[in-house]
């Protein structure tokens, strides 16, 4: 290192030019940076699991996540709100990305084929239709219905002729293409709602104040497609406002994801700006000079620009995790710069020549700064063992960014420092901050056993409190309370079937789920699911077959549709002929596979996992497969948290091993454990007190924080080694270390605190939780470094004679300022 810094003054101009050119070149790539904020990236299924689920559910219609437009009014069955909902459904029925529209007026329901003058039919046209031969489909439907009626001769003694309303069809309540509703159509819809269990809870609430228009996409929408669809729907709603007294809401998982993406994109500029502003304020108060502000910000700004530009260059998009990297690198990159600047001012007091002072500063600090960068990078890098690809990419980006910040700092600051007039550090303890730090440290040194006992007491209490923290997450936890997405999701949860679902795929012999036995199996599963507290609605083929039978036999008992083997087969045939699209959602063509859709409450992943456990236990041995968005999220969260806890254990182990090796002192490495484990315990206790669950955004705090909180400890221990090697006894060495490094530790900690405080203003709740817990960890770490660390050093620190016995030339953290 020394030859490099001896030669650097001659090369400092080319180094500055090189850094400027590199930064400008990579910053120019930032406009190309893409953003992919798909939440499912955090919890993707394992490949083998995904293949098994897809094999069981492949081919069923209606698996795409829909967009929902909610129409809210005092009475949604009144002509004006119902007419508005129908116009909206009609307008989107022909859009290329929409496969079908489900609404009160457009959803196919069992109906009698009868004479309806309001629909344009006349006696003459009806007679003409009667003369036309039935189509193959109509003939098959009539035959199937006849077979079903023949199974109950006491009710239908004359077969089809027993039906008062005539033959039956499954069709929308309002004819396709009709844009306006007359009084008869409104009355027909109102009557169907009272008589159709297929509608209530799905398309209209029990109070008749909310109706849903469901836009089912033709294919699964990617992030860009979902954004375009949401924009198109919002454009229509803006251009066609609802009648007075009627409100609309856009909801569904697709809308929630687009809202999250928009919020995260907006946050990028805001969070980086707030991080810079907060850092500027701390630096200005800490150094009271423009050099003390511009130089650290210059180093951190170059690092952030280079990293983000490099992401754009290699095609790495911003996502739910790495979007915090730019503001984090600004605050993290300032840490070492602050320590270097404080040490440079101290060296200027001894050596007025600025180039010599810069060289001496770097010789003294390069090892400690390297160690802080390595430990922070290890904290991020430990996430590389995760199963999740997006987590591994975050780990690689963040850890590479931290090491780049070190490289930029040690090249930029010694090259730029001689060009700035920086005031030397005053003699003595300096200003109020230094005096306060020294007094706090001396208080701990005066009563070290008391400080240690208090720390152990706090740690024990934190561990006891932390046992109440649960692994959990919910969709509403991700949304800003009071936002449109939050209110609409809450409305869907309270009034309709919610937005989250589990899918169950069942397999049997061909024809199984067209038979009475198969339909009874589905009905029993539905009934069991409906009893579960997390379930809003379970749907399967029994809904359609049951609705067909209830249409012709209104007073029939529940389950009568599949009480007879021939009736079940006939109704299945009728359903597949009359409503092939609807039937295709539930049963495969050969009848060997069936699908059950379970709409679940946003009750949290812990309760959904418990439901899945009970469901899998009930279906054990049947070959049933469970999947769906809620399944993937709940099971994935368990794996993700397990990954993160393993990463934390690895990070702690590696960091303290590296500390021991580079400090060349097992004793110092062990001394550093408690002050850096204590903040993690305090953070867990804070989670318990605040009721914050452990999930992706909160668990990642610990692996990141362990790399951040150890930085101040490293600088204090390194300075203690330097002072001990200079011949000071323990207490004077501790005092000098706290005065020499304490100020930089405090300024660096406050820079981090303000940087994370900036994240509290983000729109994405998990990012705010990440920031809140990081603030708790860093604040408690600062307290431990200023109080507990001096106490441990006076009790267990290596004796100065032991420090002098080590050969300085062989010590990677040698602090010689020669």
């Amino acid at each position: 290192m020394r030859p490099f810094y001896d030669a650097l003054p001659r090369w400092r101009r080319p180094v500055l030019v090189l850094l400027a050119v590199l930064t400008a070149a990579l910053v120019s790539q930032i406009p190309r940076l893409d953003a992919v904020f798909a939440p499912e990236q955090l919890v993707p299924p394992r490949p083998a699991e995904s293949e098994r689920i897809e094999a069981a559910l492949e081919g069923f219609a209606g698996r795409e996540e829909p967009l929902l437009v909610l129409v809210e009014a005092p009475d949604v069955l009144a002509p004006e709100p119902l007419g508005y909902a129908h116009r909206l459904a009609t307008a989107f029925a022909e859009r290329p990305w929409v496969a079908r529209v489900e609404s009160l007026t457009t959803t196919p329901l069992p109906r009698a084929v009868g004479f309806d003058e309001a629909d344009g039919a006349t006696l003459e046209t009806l007679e003409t239709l009667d003369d036309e031969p039935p189509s193959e489909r109509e003939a098959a439907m009539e035959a199937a219905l006849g077979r079903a009626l023949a199974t109950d001769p006491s009710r239908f003694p004359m077969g089809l002729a027993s039906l008062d309303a005539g033959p039956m069809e499954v069709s929308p309540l309002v004819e396709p293409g009709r844009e306006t509703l007359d009084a008869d159509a409104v009355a027909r819809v109102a009557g169907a709602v009272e008589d159709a269990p297929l509608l209530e809870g799905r398309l209209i609430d029990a109070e008749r104040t909310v109706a849903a228009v469901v836009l089912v996409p033709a294919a699964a929408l990617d992030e860009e497609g979902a954004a375009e669809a949401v924009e198109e729907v919002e454009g229509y709603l803006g251009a066609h406002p609802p009648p007075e007294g009627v409100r609309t809401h856009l909801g569904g998982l697709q809308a929630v994801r687009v809202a999250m993406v928009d919020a995260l994109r907006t946050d990028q500029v805001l969070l980086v700006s707030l991080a810079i502003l907060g850092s500027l304020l701390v630096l200005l108060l800490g150094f009271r000079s423009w050099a003390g502000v511009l130089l650290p910000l210059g180093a951190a700004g170059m690092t952030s620009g280079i990293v983000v530009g490099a992401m754009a260059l290699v095609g790495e998009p911003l996502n739910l995790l790495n979007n915090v990297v730019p503001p984090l690198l600004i605050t993290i990159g300032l840490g070492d710069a602050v320590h270097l600047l404080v040490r440079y001012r101290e060296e200027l007091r001894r050596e007025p020549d600025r180039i010599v002072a810069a060289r001496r500063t770097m010789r003294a600090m390069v090892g400690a700064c390297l160690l802080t960068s390595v430990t922070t990078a290890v904290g991020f890098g430990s996430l590389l063992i995760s199963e999740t690809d997006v987590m591994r990419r975050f780990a690689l980006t963040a850890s590479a960014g931290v090491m780049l910040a070190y490289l930029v700092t040690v090249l930029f600051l010694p090259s730029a420092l001689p060009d700035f007039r920086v005031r030397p550090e005053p003699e003595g303890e300096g200003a109020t901050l230094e005096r306060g730090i020294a007094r706090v440290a001396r208080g701990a040194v005066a009563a070290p056993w008391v400080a240690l006992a208090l720390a152990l007491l706090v740690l024990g209490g934190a561990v006891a409190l932390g046992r109440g923290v649960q692994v959990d997450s919910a969709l509403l936890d991700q949304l800003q309370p009071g936002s449109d997405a939050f209110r609409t999701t809450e409305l869907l949860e309270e009034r309709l079937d919610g937005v989250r679902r589990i899918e169950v795929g069942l397999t049997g012999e061909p024809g199984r789920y067209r038979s009475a036995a198969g339909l009874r199996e589905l009905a029993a599963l539905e009934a069991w699911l409906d009893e579960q507290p997390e379930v809003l609605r379970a749907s399967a083929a029994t809904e359609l077959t049951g609705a067909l039978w209830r249409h012709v036999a209104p007073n029939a008992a529940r389950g009568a549709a599949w009480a007879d083997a021939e009736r079940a087969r006939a109704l299945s045939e009728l359903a597949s002929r009359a409503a092939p699209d609807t039937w295709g959602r539930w049963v495969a063509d050969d009848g060997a596979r069936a699908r059950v859709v379970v709409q679940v409450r946003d009750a949290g992943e812990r309760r959904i996992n418990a439901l899945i456990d009970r469901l899998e236990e009930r279906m054990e041995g049947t070959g049933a497969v469970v999947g769906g968005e809620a399944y993937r999220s709940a099971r994935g969260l368990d794996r993700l948290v397990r990954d993160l806890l393993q990463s934390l254990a690895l990070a702690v182990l590696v960091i303290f091993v590296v500390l021991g090796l580079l400090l060349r002192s097992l004793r110092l490495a062990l001394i550093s454990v408690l002050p850096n484990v204590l903040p993690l315990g305090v953070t867990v206790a804070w989670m318990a007190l605040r009721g914050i669950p452990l999930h992706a955004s909160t668990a990642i705090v610990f692996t990141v924080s362990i790399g951040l909180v150890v930085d101040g400890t490293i600088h204090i221990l390194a300075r203690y080694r330097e002072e001990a090697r200079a011949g000071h006894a323990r207490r004077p060495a501790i005092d000098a270390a706290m005065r020499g490094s304490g100020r930089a530790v405090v300024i660096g900690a406050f820079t981090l605190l303000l940087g994370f405080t900036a994240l509290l203003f983000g729109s994405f709740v998990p990012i705010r939780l990440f920031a809140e817990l990081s603030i708790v960890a860093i604040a408690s770490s600062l307290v431990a470094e200023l109080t507990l660390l001096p106490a441990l050093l006076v009790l267990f620190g290596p004796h100065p004679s032991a420090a002098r016995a080590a050969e300085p030339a062989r010590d990677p953290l040698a602090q010689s300022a020669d």
Side-chain angles (χ1 to χ4, degrees), residues 12-63:
R12 62 192 190 91
R13 300 294 184 199
V15 166
L16 290 174
V17 171
L18 179 63
L19 286 173
V21 170
L22 179 63
T23 303
L26 288 172
V27 166
S28 69
Q29 302 298 308
I30 291 179
R32 296 172 50 190
L33 186 66
D34 199 3
V36 178
F37 292 111
E40 58 269 18
Q41 285 187 328
L42 286 177
V43 286
R46 292 186 174 102
E49 180 183 63
S50 181
E51 289 175 8
R52 180 172 57 87
I53 292 171
E54 285 306 309
L57 297 171
E58 184 181 10
F60 290 108
R63 296 191 60 207

Side-chain angles (χ1 to χ4, degrees), residues 618-801:
R618 185 187 186 282
M619 304 303 294
E620 188 175 3
T622 66
V625 173
V626 182
E629 173 274 330
Y631 173 88
R632 181 182 64 243
S633 181
R635 289 304 200 222
L637 179 65
D638 274 354
R639 293 199 306 269
L640 185 61
V641 170
R642 192 163 52 246
D643 280 354
L644 290 173
L645 294 179
Q646 290 172 354
S647 299
L648 174 62
L650 177 63
V652 170
L653 177 63
V654 172
I655 284 172
F656 291 117
V657 167
V658 170
L659 272 172
L661 292 175
L662 293 185
L663 288 171
R664 302 183 71 83
S665 170
L666 177 61
R667 182 178 294 189
L668 286 179
L670 291 175
I671 285 173
S672 70
V673 171
L674 185 57
N676 292 291
V677 169
L678 182 61
L680 303 184
V682 171
T683 305
V684 173
W686 180 267
M687 291 175 64
L689 291 172
R690 287 265 287 113
I692 299 173
L694 193 66
H695 51 68
S697 298
T698 53
I700 199 174
V701 167
F702 297 97
T703 55
V704 172
S705 294
I706 189 63
L708 295 178
V709 301
V710 77
D711 290 358
T713 302
I714 290 170
H715 282 290
I716 292 172
L717 291 179
R719 189 60 182 262
Y720 174 81
R721 286 286 304 272
E722 179 183 352
E723 298 297 335
R725 191 176 292 112
H728 295 119
R730 271 185 186 163
R731 289 176 187 262
I734 293 169
D735 189 67
M738 297 307 296
R739 284 187 289 108
S741 293
R743 181 182 180 187
V745 167
V746 170
I747 293 174
F750 272 91
T751 303
L752 281 173
L753 287 172
L754 274 183
F756 280 106
T757 300
L759 298 180
L760 291 175
F761 293 90
S763 303
F764 191 40
V765 174
I767 296 297
R768 296 210 305 270
L769 289 177
F770 173 78
E772 178 185 338
L773 297 179
S774 297
I775 288 169
V776 172
I778 293 166
S780 54
S781 171
L782 179 61
V783 173
E785 288 162 355
L786 298 182
T787 58
L788 178 58
L789 187 57
L792 292 173
L793 281 172
V794 77
L795 288 173
F796 309 112
H799 195 274
S801 60

Side-chain angles (χ1 to χ4, degrees), residues 135-149 168-170 511-516 519 541 544-546 548-549 561-562 564-584 587-591:
S135 67
E136 181 182 348
R137 172 175 171 271
E138 291 168 339
M141 288 173 55
E142 185 173 325
L145 181 57
R147 294 202 312 274
L149 298 180
M168 181 181 62
E169 67 176 8
V170 178
R512 166 75 177 178
Y513 297 104
R514 289 173 172 264
S515 69
L519 291 172
L544 183 54
T545 52
L548 292 171
W549 186 248
W562 44 89
D564 180 89
E566 178 57 28
R567 183 185 306 162
R569 283 194 296 270
L571 289 173
S572 296
E573 174 70 13
L574 177 60
S576 65
R577 296 283 187 171
D581 291 342
T582 304
W583 183 255
V587 178
D589 290 341
D590 61 358

